[in-house]
Amino acid sequence: MALGRAHSVAVTGVDGQLVEIEADIGRGLPAVHLVGLPDTELQEARDRIRAAVANSGEEWPDSKVILALSPATLPKVGSVYDLALVAAVLDAAKQVKRQRLRETVLLGELALDGRLRSVRGILPAVLAAKNAGWATVVVPVQSLPEAGLVGGVEVLGAHDLRAAIAWLREERDLEYPEPAQWVAQPVRADLSEVVGQAEARWAIEVAAAGAHHLMLTGPPGVGKTMLAQRLPGVLPPLTESESLEVTAIHSVAGLLPPERPLIDVPPFIAPHHTASVSALVGGGSGVAKPGAVSRAHRGVLFLDECAEIGTKVLEALRTPLEDGEVRIARRDGVARYPARFQLILAANPCPCAPAREADCVCAPTARRRYLGKLSGPLMDRVDLRVRMQAVATGAFIDEVGESTEDVRQRVAEARAAAGERWSDYGWRTNAEVPGPTLRQKFRLARPALAPVERALRKGLITARGADRALRVAWTVSDLAGLDMPGPEQVVTALGFRDRSFQ
């Protein structure tokens, strides 16, 4: 009897867990048995790895081989374990250096001819190996740019099984990731291209400065989509930790471009209005895949024609908006995906949506039913609501708005002020601050709170709505360079929820 051991990583959601692979070469008819809750794709690895070993010029044991993946209670999914499975068998057969193998995590799928293929979730897998204290990670050479984003761990790339085995035998070196050299992406859509709409532009600036949610309504063609598409350009670039968070999600989703694996700008995700619940919040068969809300993490989720989206789909947004993450339960476990995004909704005022509201032919009940899909609890979580109007002829000809660069500068200064204020608590934006903190530790003066108290007494806003209005007031204050919101800033914040407050 001979025993071998290697290590790989199981990725569930964006969390990785180290998996120990043991190989036992014993007596019996030639066969390969996999134990440890492997899925169908992993079960097929038995034939895949045996053919890869033979086609790489190595010998597969001519006896019974048992491969055990531990922890045994953790479901194992995918083909990321192929390289580690082969290494464990070769270790049991004493064909590789055991010391080097004991310090290395192996990731990658094997082709029948021995080539190493990349798999989804390389970045979170390398992060898990680093956090577990491993010194070296071997990945397919195509995944080197992505895996090389993680510092503090040695990342090596192999073209094929021959190269990996030769490295384990200390006969050759593997490739290292090259230093990342990416040119900053220019802003393609500029705010100066939007004609008029001063109130909506101001709402975009406030939303960007405080990471608030926004709803734009108005007739078709007034610029709702144009404004939403220009919001990411106003947002500050992602920090290093935020970039790794967002990149890890897109890595699991299999959406990372090979030429630029690091996502360092806020993502902009705009699903079609016919998207299903699983497409929006995540799901699917097998391991739950990240949905649009997670791919928009630290960026913008734009739902155009939101009144056309199904009610169940819209209601599924409530938990991510409140918690900042999605937890999808499956038979094989719970997948957790971050989902702290800015929601931008856009809708026409009615089904017929004429250019002039006076030309509307919809019955009053149809108008109410159209936007009635947006429930009260969902709309209560939207901080800013703006009704856009058609642009006058003079504005269309003469007016040129501020550029994205000018607005981005003010947003950056406001975010810096908010970040310094909340740094001791671990929050980065005003939208993340809990209501009790605003009402107790950072309580405003009584004159400033008076408009909120009147609105609560009249039933115009809920307690949640009051907290969100206070967050917006802090953002308006930051944009104005003030230390604390006053009555004017609070009234402005309430006016974004209902014009009757102004």
Side-chain angles (χ1 to χ4, degrees):
M1 179 183 294
L3 286 174
R5 186 179 296 113
H7 293 83
S8 191
V9 178
V11 176
T12 304
V14 290
D15 302 315
Q17 182 173 346
L18 266 292
V19 173
E20 182 183 53
I21 300 174
E22 296 175 294
D24 173 72
I25 302 176
R27 296 180 181 178
L29 295 174
V32 180
H33 299 278
L34 269 174
V35 295
L37 293 182
D39 70 338
T40 303
E41 195 172 354
L42 184 52
Q43 285 283 8
E44 293 175 348
R46 296 176 300 178
D47 300 322
R48 217 170 30 241
I49 62 176
R50 189 160 46 185
V53 168
N55 292 325
S56 298
E58 302 291 333
E59 291 187 7
W60 184 266
D62 192 21
S63 59
K64 182 179 180 181
V65 177
I66 298 177
L67 292 164
L69 289 79
S70 177
T73 56
L74 176 71
K76 317 302 187 304
V77 179
S79 57
V80 68
Y81 310 99
D82 285 8
L83 182 57
L85 290 169
V86 171
V89 173
L90 297 181
D91 181 38
K94 297 181 173 55
Q95 297 182 32
V96 295
K97 299 282 188 179
R98 179 160 291 185
Q99 180 60 34
R100 176 164 279 188
L101 186 58
R102 293 294 181 268
E103 300 172 350
T104 305
V105 171
L106 303 168
L107 307 170
E109 175 187 328
L110 284 171
L112 297 183
D113 60 359
R115 286 176 295 114
L116 265 178
R117 291 172 171 163
S118 183
V119 294
R120 294 182 178 183
I122 286 289
L123 179 59
V126 176
L127 283 170
K130 172 197 171 183
N131 295 334
W134 287 81
T136 307
V137 181
V138 174
V139 301
V141 73
Q142 310 97 299
S143 301
L144 269 181
E146 178 184 343
L149 299 174
V150 182
V153 62
E154 183 183 37
V155 176
L156 302 174
H159 283 280
D160 50 32
L161 182 58
R162 289 187 183 89
I165 294 174
W167 179 81
L168 289 173
R169 291 171 176 164
E170 300 182 1
E171 297 174 353
R172 63 168 290 180
D173 294 329
L174 296 179
E175 296 187 23
Y176 287 88
E178 296 181 0
Q181 295 180 349
W182 299 311
V183 180
Q185 295 179 333
V187 179
R188 297 180 179 178
D190 199 277
L191 267 174
S192 61
E193 300 168 351
V194 180
V195 178
Q197 306 299 346
E199 183 183 12
R201 290 170 58 94
W202 167 235
I204 287 287
E205 184 173 339
V206 174
H212 302 294
H213 307 306
L214 168 66
M215 180 172 181
L216 302 171
T217 58
V222 295
K224 302 186 293 294
T225 302
M226 283 187 69
L227 278 168
Q229 290 173 341
R230 282 150 181 78
L231 176 57
V234 179
L235 298 174
L238 301 178
T239 64
E240 183 179 352
S241 60
E242 290 172 341
S243 294
L244 288 178
E245 285 180 5
V246 176
T247 304
I249 296 171
H250 287 249
S251 173
V252 173
L255 299 175
L256 281 182
E259 69 279 1
R260 191 183 176 90
L262 180 66
I263 299 177
D264 54 0
V265 295
F268 180 81
I269 306 298
H272 194 261
H273 63 265
T274 59
S276 63
V277 173
S278 60
L280 193 65
V281 301
S285 58
V287 175
K289 304 295 190 300
V293 297
S294 297
R295 299 198 307 276
H297 180 59
R298 302 295 180 188
V300 177
L301 177 67
F302 177 49
L303 297 184
D304 200 5
E305 304 295 345
C306 61
E308 303 287 349
I309 299 176
T311 303
K312 290 184 178 180
V313 178
L314 290 171
E315 292 304 300
L317 290 171
R318 287 163 56 176
T319 300
L321 286 173
E322 204 68 32
D323 298 343
E325 70 173 10
V326 173
R327 296 175 295 277
I328 306 170
R330 288 291 184 271
R331 176 183 59 84
D332 294 335
V334 178
R336 182 195 63 84
Y337 291 108
R340 192 164 295 282
F341 57 91
Q342 280 186 256
L343 176 65
I344 308 298
L345 301 172
N348 297 320
C350 65
C352 73
R356 295 190 313 161
E357 193 168 352
D359 296 334
C360 177
V361 296
C362 299
T365 54
R367 291 175 64 92
R368 287 195 299 270
R369 192 185 309 114
Y370 186 67
L371 293 178
K373 288 184 179 180
L374 306 174
S375 66
L378 176 61
M379 290 305 300
D380 206 26
R381 291 169 167 83
V382 178
D383 308 314
L384 313 172
R385 308 170 195 173
V386 177
R387 178 69 180 270
M388 299 173 64
Q389 304 293 339
V391 180
T393 305
F396 187 81
I397 296 174
D398 301 328
E399 186 174 338
V400 177
E402 280 186 297
S403 67
T404 293
E405 183 61 36
D406 294 336
V407 178
R408 188 196 300 121
Q409 182 62 34
R410 290 198 298 270
V411 168
E413 293 173 359
R415 285 219 176 190
E420 183 178 353
R421 180 171 57 248
W422 311 121
S423 59
D424 293 339
Y425 303 91
W427 305 311
R428 302 174 183 175
T429 60
N430 293 326
E432 300 176 54
V433 183
T437 302
L438 295 174
R439 297 191 300 270
Q440 299 169 10
K441 294 183 180 180
F442 290 84
R443 185 178 179 84
L444 303 185
R446 182 165 292 277
L449 288 175
V452 177
E453 293 174 350
R454 286 197 299 271
L456 283 170
R457 282 197 302 268
K458 295 179 180 180
L460 299 177
I461 59 174
T462 64
R464 183 195 291 118
D467 288 343
R468 291 188 172 273
L470 291 177
R471 296 185 185 114
V472 175
W474 277 101
T475 301
V476 175
S477 173
D478 291 336
L479 286 169
L482 304 176
D483 294 332
M484 181 175 287
E488 182 180 351
Q489 287 73 41
V490 174
V491 170
T492 299
L494 289 170
F496 276 121
R497 302 184 71 84
D498 192 327
R499 284 185 178 275
S500 61
F501 294 113
Q502 295 180 326

